[in-house]
Amino acid sequence: MNKSFKDGLQYAWDSTSIALAETCLRKYQYRMIEGWTPHRKSVHLTFGGHYATALEHFYKHRAAGASIEEALRLVVREALVNSWKDEFDHNAKTRPNLIRSIIWYVNEFGDESASGIQTHHLSDGKPAVELSFTIAVEDGLFFCGHLDRVVRYADDLYVMDQKTTGSTISPRFFDGFKPDVQMSMYTFAGQAILHTPVKGVIIDGAQIAVGFTRFERGFTFRTATELQEWYEATMHTIDAARAATARNEFPMNRTACGNYGGCEFRHVCSRSPEVRPQFLKADFTQAERWDPLERR
Amino acid sequence: MSDIAELFARDPLDLSEQDLNQIIARFREARASFGNAPITSKTPPKPKQADVASLASKLEIKL
């Protein structure tokens, strides 16, 4: 039972499901309504997920008083355990390189005393780490998700996020996060949770190569009017997705098929409609649908 | 001292604090070595547009 749906319509939305609906309603149908997922989880998601979790937990341990070394040992052990059974079918995003990247990240950024970055604390004194949110917006709809950490830098608040890539990180890498559903959602949610302005997101990018991991830190900012524009456009996207669901009509966005190396459903949509179910069953698993309200 | 590959092959629940320290130390050593290596571009630089056009003209190639 997917908790984010009521009477067959999605009412709780995270950046993943919003991005799906914005990209292509057919893709939204396949992933969110029917629950089709690739047989094997993407190595990029596996690697990136373990990496982000490790760093989130590093800062959580640090906020709880652990030394850099203690926190590092804890998250290295946790990452080794969590990744033990995973397949890493990639030449650079391997299990040893995951651990290497975590250790090298802590060497690069772990000591924040010189960077001027401090973990923000909530009004109850708790550190602003591992912040899951469910925010009521309008018409019975909710935005939900998870912020790894909120920090204070130069008198402003920012959400912090980790990204991994196989490419060299240039300023263009950070330009790619605007406009962006996830970064706007983070900024919007940060403000809603903290009841104070959040300037944007600090992104720690990690280039994962065979023999090294290289880091760059960048910013993506959001003004109040940009967030208002994002909110209105997102509500429009959600309305369209809910209307499509109610009609059971999910038109393809044929201009999005080639994005990011090609949609995983492209070979399904390129077939005649009467045979598409066979290709879905052959190449995908109908697992539990992605649930934005599920805490990860 | 265990080989790093052997440590990764072990069930992580069987790793001792010393094993973890060894893994961390080995990767830190590797980073120090990487940091001292000369920075070279991974891919050769792309020729500038003007250079390409000039060369195409000399070779009488229509791009």
Side-chain angles (χ1 to χ4, degrees):
Chain A
M1 174 83 175
N2 192 312
K3 299 185 293 294
S4 301
F5 282 72
K6 187 179 173 187
D7 300 327
L9 301 181
Q10 185 175 351
Y11 73 94
W13 292 79
D14 64 351
S15 57
T16 297
S17 48
I18 292 166
L20 283 169
E22 246 180 46
T23 300
C24 172
L25 285 174
R26 183 62 59 87
K27 187 170 184 173
Y28 171 79
Q29 175 195 14
Y30 285 153
R31 289 279 297 274
M32 291 300 297
I33 306 294
E34 297 180 2
W36 294 108
T37 55
H39 285 308
R40 287 170 70 176
K41 189 177 175 185
S42 159
V43 66
H44 306 291
L45 288 178
T46 300
F47 189 101
H50 287 312
Y51 177 76
T53 297
L55 301 188
E56 181 190 20
H57 290 181
F58 171 80
Y59 287 115
K60 181 182 166 191
H61 293 311
R62 289 284 288 141
S67 69
I68 290 175
E69 293 306 307
E70 284 166 349
L72 177 59
R73 265 197 300 276
L74 285 167
V75 300
V76 165
R77 182 185 288 282
E78 183 186 32
L80 284 166
V81 170
N82 290 346
S83 63
W84 175 237
K85 299 285 183 198
D86 287 329
E87 275 184 54
F88 290 86
D89 185 19
H90 194 270
N91 64 331
K93 290 184 179 177
T94 63
R95 188 165 173 258
N97 288 353
L98 166 67
I99 303 304
R100 178 194 72 203
S101 301
I102 293 166
I103 294 166
W104 287 23
Y105 174 91
V106 170
N107 268 31
E108 181 78 19
F109 293 122
D111 182 355
E112 295 189 307
S113 53
S115 68
I117 288 178
Q118 291 178 313
T119 299
H120 179 65
H121 284 73
L122 306 175
S123 53
D124 61 4
K126 288 182 183 170
V129 295
E130 285 193 327
L131 297 178
S132 292
F133 61 88
T134 304
I135 301 163
V137 286
E138 59 188 86
D139 298 334
L141 300 174
F142 291 81
F143 286 171
C144 43
H146 185 88
L147 306 180
D148 287 353
R149 189 166 75 125
V150 179
V151 300
R152 183 167 291 283
Y153 175 68
D155 293 328
D156 288 310
L157 291 182
Y158 295 85
V159 176
M160 281 206 79
D161 196 42
Q162 310 291 337
K163 293 294 182 201
T164 56
T165 175
S167 307
T168 304
I169 299 174
S170 67
R172 221 175 137 186
F173 174 78
F174 298 104
D175 291 343
F177 293 106
K178 190 171 184 179
D180 180 85
V181 173
Q182 187 186 44
M183 297 301 154
S184 295
M185 174 67 92
Y186 283 165
T187 310
F188 181 93
Q191 293 188 162
I193 297 169
L194 302 172
H195 306 292
T196 194
V198 171
K199 200 157 183 186
V201 184
I202 299 176
I203 300 162
D204 283 342
Q207 177 193 2
I208 314 297
V210 172
F212 64 87
T213 304
R214 188 178 279 137
F215 304 96
E216 294 290 344
R217 175 170 278 175
F219 293 73
T220 186
F221 301 101
R222 296 291 187 276
T223 64
T225 45
E226 283 170 339
L227 285 178
Q228 181 62 34
E229 180 186 53
W230 170 82
Y231 175 81
E232 289 165 7
T234 299
M235 295 309 291
H236 179 83
T237 295
I238 291 172
D239 285 345
R242 285 166 59 88
T245 307
R247 290 193 306 267
N248 197 30
E249 287 174 3
F250 299 91
M252 297 177 199
N253 175 8
R254 289 179 290 268
T255 64
C257 303
N259 290 355
Y260 301 105
C263 174
E264 68 258 41
F265 296 107
R266 185 170 201 168
H267 70 291
V268 175
C269 294
S270 66
R271 297 303 200 275
S272 193
E274 64 273 12
V275 300
R276 283 180 197 147
Q278 297 166 30
F279 283 89
L280 281 168
K281 283 180 187 157
D283 299 331
F284 297 87
T285 300
Q286 209 163 15
E288 275 192 45
R289 291 177 298 169
W290 175 263
D291 186 349
L293 285 172
E294 188 76 24
R295 292 289 173 249
R296 291 173 184 88
Chain B
M1 229 195 229
S2 305
D3 179 72
I4 193 94
E6 191 270 323
L7 290 172
F8 271 90
R10 249 190 248 173
D11 185 329
L13 294 174
D14 294 336
L15 292 173
S16 65
E17 285 287 293
Q18 190 179 3
D19 294 328
L20 286 179
N21 288 341
Q22 189 179 339
I23 289 171
I24 292 168
R26 289 285 183 88
F27 279 120
R28 279 178 169 158
E29 280 168 23
R31 187 167 198 231
S33 302
F34 170 69
N36 291 333
I39 296 171
T40 56
S41 178
K42 265 181 72 176
T43 54
K46 289 181 185 171
K48 292 179 186 172
Q49 288 280 83
D51 292 341
V52 171
S54 169
L55 184 59
S57 173
K58 281 182 191 170
L59 296 173
E60 295 179 21
I61 297 169
K62 194 176 176 185
L63 293 174

